């Protein structure tokens, strides 16, 4: 970047940092710009040139402020920025993600074992060349500071220039505002620094004490059980029940009383998707979620999970992977089949007449789709075994993903078989996914794009229902949402509540 042994003026140093930050980390930003305006027109050229100048000057200005206040803090932050930038750009280039607030939440709620599945040699190259080498240069640099008077003159003139540039582009504000969320999610390092702050501010607000819903009553003593299976990254178009040309549902397709609805998710990432499934309405407030509400109103609730990202669950019987492993035997214990361990026996041991079981799966989460199912379910071949999904053919990628759907079909079949043996219960299974998944369409992978920008693959989800013989019939709804789960479960279990909405109930009275 510069001669390590020579002294360098602070203004030259931050200018170099800004240039290298621009060159190393802003290809995705300007790729989006070129794809979304007419770059051959005078107005398009004006926007591009203005954005380049704005980015270079604004970043240099911010770096200048930081280093003028403290060189030690400045070097620490610049090293941190270049390291995180290199990792961020790898994920943006490899998976087509945008680092908006929702994606930041997705990252911060992902556990280490899931993060480790993204490890690749290409990631190491990004980290080494774009992160570590520049960081060494930053640490070794000998920077000459300036007097406060010159500092104040410099920032004043720079601010004046930036304001002039912004107002000179007043005619382009509408385009920038329209695309601000994506542009902000691709601008390094501010995409993650700003959105991490926003995430924790909003999380603090949402983690305040939940708003209790009105008290409910049970209208009968009929023994009833609902098993709610929350899918992970399952998109409806790859289920043969929805017309997919591959037979990914060989078991469910042969079971009587299985129905499916067209459905959409309220978000494209796990935390918001699961919250939507458990909530009574589309509200930004933290209202009491379904398991907490039912448990408080005398329904027995069991939560089993191999995943994470749900809102706070306040029930007595909450079982994670490690809690279930001691009871499980066989190779299936390494996968979501673990959730079915002793499930029927657990339900039979419950003395309460009203039971909700929640199984929170992880079976279709990328990028390692081929590791989400036992080998005997690898029916569709060849499969993608790389975490760098762009290195696989789309056919290999889809084959691996389809095998996870085939495995999900088996898991749901096993749950239904258990419920069939509970003759004394009226039983229902509801399977709904937290969100969908992109598999290379439009060069996008996985999920997490803002809902306003996301393709249908990321929000069109399966909503599959089975009911025991003679229990309930279903309404002929054409389209439902995740919020239908809350009211449908209340209806099936005979829970009367002032919050109940018949319009969002899938069962006939």
């Amino acid at each position: 970047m510069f001669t390590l042994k020579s002294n360098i003026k602070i203004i030259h140093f931050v200018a170099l940092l800004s240039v290298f930050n621009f060159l190393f980390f802003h290809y995705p930003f300007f790729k989006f710009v070129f794809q979304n305006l007419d770059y051959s027109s005078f107005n398009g050229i004006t926007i591009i040139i203005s954005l380049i100048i704005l980015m270079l000057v604004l970043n240099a200005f911010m770096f200048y402020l930081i280093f003028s206040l403290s060189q030690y803090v400045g070097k620490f932050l610049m090293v941190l920025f270049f390291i995180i930038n290199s990792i961020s750009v790898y994920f943006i280039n490899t998976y087509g993600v945008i680092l908006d607030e929702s994606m930041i939440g997705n990252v911060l709620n992902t556990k280490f074992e899931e993060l480790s599945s993204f490890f690749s040699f290409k990631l190491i190259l990004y980290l080494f060349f774009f992160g570590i080498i520049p960081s060494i240069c930053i640490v070794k640099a000998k920077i000459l500071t300036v007097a406060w008077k010159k500092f104040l003159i410099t920032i004043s003139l720079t601010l004046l220039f930036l304001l002039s540039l912004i107002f000179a582009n007043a005619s382009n504000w509408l385009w920038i505002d329209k695309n601000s969320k994506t542009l902000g999610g691709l601008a390094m390092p501010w995409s993650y620094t700003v959105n991490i702050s926003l995430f924790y501010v909003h999380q603090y607000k949402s983690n305040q004490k939940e708003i209790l819903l009105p008290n409910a009553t049970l209208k009968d003593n009929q023994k009833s059980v609902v098993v709610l299976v929350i899918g992970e990254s399952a998109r409806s178009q790859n289920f043969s029940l929805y017309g997919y040309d591959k037979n990914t549902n060989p078991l469910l397709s042969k079971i009587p009383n299985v129905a499916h609805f067209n459905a959409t998710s309220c978000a494209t990432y796990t935390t918001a998707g699961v919250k939507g499934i458990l909530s009574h309405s589309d509200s930004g407030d933290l209202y009491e979620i379904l398991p907490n509400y039912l448990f408080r109103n005398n329904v027995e609730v069991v939560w089993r999970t191999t995943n994470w990202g749900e809102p706070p669950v306040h029930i007595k019987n909450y079982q994670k992977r490690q809690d279930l492993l001691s009871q499980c035997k066989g190779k299936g214990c390494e996968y979501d089949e673990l959730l079915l361990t002793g499930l029927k026996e657990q339900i039979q041991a419950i003395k309460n007449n009203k039971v909700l079981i929640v199984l929170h799966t992880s079976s279709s989460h990328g990028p390692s789709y081929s590791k989400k199912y036992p080998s005997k379910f690898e029916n569709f071949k060849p499969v993608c075994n790389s975490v760098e999904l762009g290195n696989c053919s789309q056919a290999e990628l889809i084959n691996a993903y389809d095998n996870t759907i085939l495995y999900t079909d088996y898991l749901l079949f096993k749950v239904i078989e258990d419920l069939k043996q509970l003759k004394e219960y009226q039983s229902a299974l509801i399977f709904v996914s937290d969100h969908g998944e992109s598999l290379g369409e439009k060069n996008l992978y996985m999920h997490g794009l803002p809902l306003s920008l996301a393709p249908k693959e990321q929000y069109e989800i399966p909503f599959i229902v089975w009911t025991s013989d003679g229990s309930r019939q279903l309404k002929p709804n054409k389209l439902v949402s995740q919020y239908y789960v809350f009211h449908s479960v209340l209806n099936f279990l005979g829970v009367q509540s002032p919050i109940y909405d018949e319009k969002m109930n899938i069962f006939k009275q």
Side-chain angles (χ1 to χ4, degrees):
M1 290 173 69
F2 35 80
T3 305
L4 297 177
K5 294 182 179 180
S6 61
N7 294 331
I8 182 169
K9 293 181 178 180
I10 188 171
I11 193 73
H12 297 156
F13 182 70
V14 297
L16 279 171
L17 283 179
S18 182
V19 168
F20 281 105
N21 182 69
F22 177 86
L23 294 175
F24 289 174
F25 308 120
H26 287 89
Y27 169 74
F29 181 98
F30 284 98
K31 179 182 177 182
F32 174 82
V33 171
F34 274 83
Q35 288 175 342
N36 288 274
L37 54 72
D38 181 8
Y39 51 83
S40 62
S41 67
F42 175 77
N43 192 56
I45 293 171
T46 301
I47 293 176
I48 292 169
I49 293 174
S50 298
L51 284 172
I52 292 172
I53 296 172
L54 181 66
M55 185 163 289
L56 286 169
V57 176
L58 184 59
N59 279 337
F61 173 73
M62 295 301 296
F63 298 162
Y64 183 71
L65 282 176
I66 294 169
F67 273 93
S68 296
L69 294 172
S70 171
Q71 284 197 31
Y72 294 106
V73 173
K75 286 188 175 185
F76 172 77
L77 287 178
M78 290 307 113
V79 168
L80 190 64
F81 285 161
F82 271 76
I83 294 292
I84 298 177
N85 284 357
S86 64
I87 296 170
S88 299
V89 169
Y90 164 78
F91 280 95
I92 291 169
N93 287 337
T94 305
Y95 300 110
V97 302
I98 296 173
L99 296 181
D100 65 343
E101 186 183 348
S102 63
M103 179 55 70
I104 291 296
N106 210 22
V107 172
L108 294 176
N109 280 290
T110 300
K111 293 190 177 180
F112 175 77
E113 56 263 37
E114 198 68 53
L115 283 174
S116 62
S117 67
F118 289 95
F119 179 83
S120 71
F121 181 67
K122 185 178 175 183
L123 173 58
I124 297 300
L125 293 178
Y126 268 75
L127 183 60
F128 181 74
F129 287 106
F130 297 145
I132 294 175
I133 291 179
S135 295
I136 294 171
C137 296
I138 291 168
V139 171
K140 296 283 187 180
K142 298 177 181 179
I143 307 164
L144 299 175
T145 56
V146 295
W148 277 101
K149 183 178 179 180
K150 189 171 183 180
F151 164 77
L152 292 173
I153 292 172
T154 301
I155 63 169
S156 298
L157 291 174
T158 307
L159 275 174
L160 182 63
F161 173 78
L162 289 171
L163 289 171
S164 300
L165 181 64
I166 291 168
F167 280 101
N169 279 275
S171 60
N172 298 318
W173 286 358
L174 187 61
W175 183 89
I176 293 172
D177 180 66
K178 177 184 175 183
N179 297 285
S180 59
K181 196 164 188 178
T182 303
L183 294 172
L186 296 173
M188 301 295 162
W190 316 115
S191 56
Y192 54 84
T193 52
V194 172
N195 284 310
I196 285 174
S197 301
L198 289 174
F199 171 79
Y200 279 112
V201 168
H202 293 151
Q203 187 184 58
Y204 170 77
K205 291 180 179 179
S206 66
N207 280 343
Q208 294 174 357
K209 189 173 181 180
E210 63 184 8
I211 304 168
L212 297 183
L213 298 174
N215 290 338
T217 57
L218 302 178
K219 69 178 183 180
D220 58 53
N221 291 318
Q222 170 64 50
K223 292 177 77 69
S224 305
V225 57
V226 175
V227 177
L228 170 61
V229 183
I230 300 176
E232 170 62 64
S233 305
R235 65 186 202 182
S236 56
Q237 71 184 67
N238 287 60
F239 282 68
S240 54
L241 287 177
Y242 285 83
Y244 189 45
D245 56 2
K246 291 184 188 176
N247 189 12
T248 53
N249 300 126
L251 299 173
L252 288 179
S253 61
K254 296 176 182 177
I255 298 177
N257 304 334
V258 169
H260 63 277
F261 298 94
N262 294 324
T264 55
S265 62
C266 64
T268 61
Y269 57 103
T270 298
T271 51
V274 174
K275 182 177 181 291
I277 293 169
L278 302 176
S279 298
H280 75 285
S281 68
D282 183 6
S283 170
D285 295 321
L286 184 62
Y287 281 100
E288 199 170 15
I289 57 173
L290 180 64
N292 300 349
Y293 184 52
L294 292 181
F295 180 72
R296 185 170 66 84
N297 286 281
N298 303 314
V299 174
E300 186 75 23
V301 181
V302 177
W303 185 291
R304 293 180 166 201
T305 181
T306 57
N307 208 328
W308 45 82
E310 69 273 1
V313 179
H314 307 307
I315 63 172
K316 184 179 179 180
N317 207 332
Y318 183 93
Q319 298 173 302
K320 296 182 179 180
R321 180 188 296 271
Q322 56 267 32
D323 300 319
L324 297 168
L325 278 172
S326 60
Q327 310 167 37
C328 189
K329 296 180 180 179
K331 292 185 178 180
C333 302
E334 301 172 18
Y335 305 94
D336 276 346
E337 201 169 339
L338 172 70
L339 296 172
L340 311 186
T341 302
L343 180 61
K344 180 184 67 175
E345 290 74 18
Q346 186 173 25
I347 296 172
Q348 289 174 323
I350 292 172
K351 295 180 181 179
N352 201 320
N353 288 333
K354 307 294 184 180
V355 181
L356 171 67
I357 307 290
V358 182
L359 306 179
H360 189 190
T361 70
S362 60
S363 52
S364 293
H365 196 292
S368 303
Y369 303 109
S370 62
K371 295 181 180 179
K372 291 292 185 177
Y373 53 83
S375 57
K376 66 180 180 180
F377 289 92
E378 195 161 280
N379 285 21
F380 306 109
K381 300 177 183 180
V383 300
C384 174
N385 289 307
S386 173
V387 299
E388 296 176 27
L389 304 182
N391 291 343
C392 298
S393 70
Q394 191 176 28
E396 291 172 332
L397 180 58
I398 291 175
N399 281 342
Y401 181 83
D402 285 344
N403 289 328
T404 71
I405 305 302
L406 188 68
Y407 184 51
T408 298
D409 178 76
Y410 167 76
L411 295 176
L412 298 180
F413 168 79
K414 291 285 287 182
V415 173
I416 292 171
E417 289 299 298
D418 277 350
L419 291 177
K420 283 181 178 178
Q421 297 178 46
L422 302 175
K423 302 295 185 182
E424 69 276 24
Y425 281 92
Q426 287 190 346
S427 306
L429 172 137
I430 300 175
F431 171 76
V432 59
S433 185
D434 56 357
H435 52 75
E437 191 86 334
S438 285
L439 298 173
E441 300 87 1
K442 300 177 183 177
N443 204 33
L444 296 174
Y445 297 93
M446 298 184 63
H447 53 269
L449 281 179
L451 196 60
S452 59
L453 301 173
K456 64 179 183 178
E457 290 83 8
Q458 292 192 25
Y459 61 78
E460 289 188 351
I461 56 171
F463 194 119
I464 298 171
V465 182
W466 171 86
T467 55
S468 57
D469 291 337
S471 55
R472 303 297 292 276
Q473 292 183 323
L474 300 173
K475 294 178 180 178
N477 297 62
K478 292 184 178 180
L479 180 65
V480 300
S481 72
Q482 292 172 322
Y483 302 108
Y484 279 61
V485 171
F486 189 103
H487 302 278
S488 300
V489 171
L490 259 60
N491 182 282
F492 193 90
L493 293 178
V495 178
Q496 294 180 316
S497 167
I499 206 71
Y500 173 73
D501 188 345
E502 174 59 28
K503 293 178 182 177
M504 288 196 283
N505 164 43
I506 61 172
F507 299 107
K508 290 181 180 180
Q509 294 292 355

